């Protein structure tokens, strides 16, 4: 199917009802303006570099597609229930409240352009305001549902708050880098969050938890750094309390021995080189499966431990966590 259809060459287009209207019809103008805002939000999503913000923008973009379908439909004439409801408006209000809780109040007029992503969000906000004005015209003639108008109004507020929140985070990050650079050994630069051990640990635990849910066993997952210090640990609902210490000890054992606890188990039986290993170090060294060393560029930099299921299940969950590292 060709992109160009030639059906609009006479200055007309079709609504969802297939009614032909002029391309400057107020309804077409309204959903076309929302489309502009959606594109500007897409630019912000590409620029933000923040996964949580990109996911939020993507969710709203999906809702705007439904909103545009409402704008392209005469609900009264079609008898169709609007796609955007009051619950969508309440959802935006909840997001605004959440963003405001973490935003430093500003008592002055804000000029756009603090960051590229915030500038794109401010652009989207002004376009949404224009779309809202078009929707008011439609509402006056009864050709649009009220939740659509309310949604556009709340969306412009949300985009403003989101832009300020992203600017605030950029300012804090820049200030932190300057402070750390001024400290002794001032060439130290904080790692980007996605490159920290904690961020990696969270990713590993999420993948491990997904595997545990897949096989239907609640577990405890622990990750330690190269010094054997706990980086992160999480216990799924229903996991054994004993698994809290066992998962940590498995992670530590894999790091200390530079091998999986499954391998250690094979070497700790009578007649093998590590027989009696489980009695060393106060009994902390674990010699059954579920612990894996974390290796980067050939160096062991940590360990992951899983406890809660059978040995085979713990090994499978730990391997799932390692697969994302």
């Amino acid at each position: 199917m060709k992109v160009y259809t030639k059906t609009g060459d006479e200055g007309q287009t079709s609504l969802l009802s297939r009614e032909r209207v002029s391309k400057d019809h107020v309804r077409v103008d309204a959903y076309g303006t929302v489309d502009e805002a959606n594109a500007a939000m897409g630019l912000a999503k590409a620029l933000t570099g923040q996964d949580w913000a990109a996911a939020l923008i993507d969710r709203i973009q999906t809702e705007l597609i439904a909103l545009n379908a409402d704008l392209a439909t005469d609900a009264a004439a079609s008898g169709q229930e609007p796609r955007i409801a009051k619950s969508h408006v309440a959802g935006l209000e909840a997001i605004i409240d959440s963003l405001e809780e973490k935003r430093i109040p500003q008592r002055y007029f804000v000029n756009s352009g603090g960051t590229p992503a915030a500038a794109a969000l401010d652009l989207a906000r002004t376009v949404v305001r224009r779309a809202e004005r078009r929707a008011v015209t439609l509402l006056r003639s009864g050709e649009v549902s009220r939740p659509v108008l309310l949604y556009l109004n709340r969306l412009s507020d949300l985009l403003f708050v989101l832009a300020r929140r992203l600017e605030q985070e950029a300012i804090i990050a820049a200030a932190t880098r300057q402070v750390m650079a001024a400290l002794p050994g001032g060439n130290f630069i904080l790692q980007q969050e996605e490159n920290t051990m904690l961020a990696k640990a969270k990713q590993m635990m999420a993948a491990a938890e997904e595997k545990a849910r897949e096989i239907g066993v609640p577990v405890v997952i622990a990750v330690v750094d190269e010094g054997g210090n706990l980086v992160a640990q999480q216990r799924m609902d229903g996991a054994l309390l004993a698994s809290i210490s066992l998962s940590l000890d498995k992670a530590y054992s894999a790091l200390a021995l530079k091998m999986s606890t499954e391998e250690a188990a094979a070497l700790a039986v009578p007649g093998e080189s590590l027989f009696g290993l489980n009695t060393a170090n106060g009994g902390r060294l674990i010699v059954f499966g579920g612990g894996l060393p974390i290796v980067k560029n050939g160096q062991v930099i940590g360990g992951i431990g899983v406890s809660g299921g059978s040995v085979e299940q713990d090994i499978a969950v730990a391997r799932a966590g390692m697969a994302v590292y």
Side-chain angles (χ1 to χ4, degrees):
M1 182 177 179
K2 292 183 178 180
V3 172
Y4 60 90
T5 62
K6 301 183 180 181
T7 57
D9 288 357
E10 301 303 319
Q12 290 191 328
T13 189
S14 295
L15 302 177
L16 284 184
S17 63
R18 298 192 177 183
E19 175 189 357
R20 299 291 290 178
V21 297
S22 172
K23 287 186 176 181
D24 63 357
H25 188 283
V26 64
R27 187 179 292 281
V28 178
D29 194 14
Y31 66 68
T33 305
V34 171
D35 196 29
E36 289 180 50
N38 203 333
M41 289 175 62
L43 177 60
K45 180 172 67 176
L47 291 171
T48 178
Q50 299 272 12
D51 289 344
W52 67 268
L56 172 58
I57 294 170
D58 189 75
R59 166 187 162 184
I60 296 171
Q61 285 182 295
T62 301
E63 291 183 352
L64 285 181
I65 294 173
L67 184 142
N68 256 357
D70 280 349
L71 287 175
T73 304
D74 186 340
S78 67
Q80 182 177 343
E81 284 295 318
R83 298 160 184 82
I84 295 298
K86 290 182 179 179
S87 59
H88 293 94
V89 178
L92 293 187
E93 292 173 346
I95 295 170
I96 293 171
D97 292 342
S98 176
L99 291 172
E100 283 280 58
E101 287 178 1
K102 300 177 181 179
R103 184 172 76 92
I104 300 171
Q106 293 162 294
R107 309 297 183 188
Y108 51 86
F109 185 82
V110 177
N111 284 327
S112 180
T115 69
L121 288 170
D122 281 326
L123 175 61
R125 173 179 54 83
T126 62
V127 179
V128 168
R129 285 295 192 191
R130 177 153 50 90
E132 182 185 5
R133 294 193 292 271
R134 302 296 185 269
V136 167
T137 303
L138 279 173
L139 182 67
R140 190 178 298 122
S141 59
E143 295 181 357
V144 68
S145 66
R146 184 164 180 77
V148 165
L149 181 64
L150 296 176
Y151 187 98
L152 292 172
N153 180 270
R154 301 301 188 276
L155 178 56
S156 62
D157 293 334
L158 187 152
L159 294 175
F160 175 83
V161 175
L162 179 57
R164 306 292 76 77
R165 170 77 182 278
L166 291 177
E167 287 176 337
Q168 174 183 305
E169 291 193 356
I171 291 171
I172 293 173
T176 302
R177 286 194 297 270
Q178 292 174 2
V179 170
M180 297 305 296
L183 294 175
N187 290 328
F188 175 75
I189 302 295
L190 285 179
Q191 290 177 291
Q192 293 296 319
E193 183 180 354
E194 62 268 21
N195 293 325
T196 64
M197 189 65 178
L198 176 59
K200 294 296 185 183
K202 289 179 179 179
Q203 294 172 5
M204 295 170 72
M205 291 193 304
E209 181 181 352
E210 183 178 350
K211 180 65 177 179
R213 293 189 184 282
E214 177 186 318
I215 62 179
V217 56
V219 299
V220 181
I221 309 154
V223 176
V224 299
D225 63 17
E226 60 185 345
N229 306 299
L230 178 64
V231 176
Q233 185 177 44
Q234 67 180 39
R235 174 178 177 263
M236 296 173 63
D237 290 349
L240 298 173
L241 293 178
S243 294
I244 297 174
S245 60
L246 283 173
S247 63
L248 180 56
D249 287 347
K250 285 184 182 183
Y252 172 82
S253 299
L255 165 72
L257 299 172
K258 297 186 177 182
M259 67 174 71
S260 70
T261 54
E262 180 184 8
E263 293 175 278
L267 297 174
V269 297
E272 294 296 331
S273 59
L274 296 181
F275 176 59
L277 176 68
N278 57 304
T279 64
N281 198 22
R284 187 179 184 187
L285 296 176
I286 301 295
V287 291
F288 51 90
L292 296 173
I294 301 172
V295 182
K296 181 178 181 180
N297 299 326
Q299 299 293 319
V300 177
I301 63 167
I304 180 173
V306 174
S307 177
S310 66
V311 169
E312 292 75 16
Q313 289 171 331
D314 288 351
I315 292 172
V317 173
R319 286 176 177 170
M322 279 298 302
V324 303
Y325 190 82

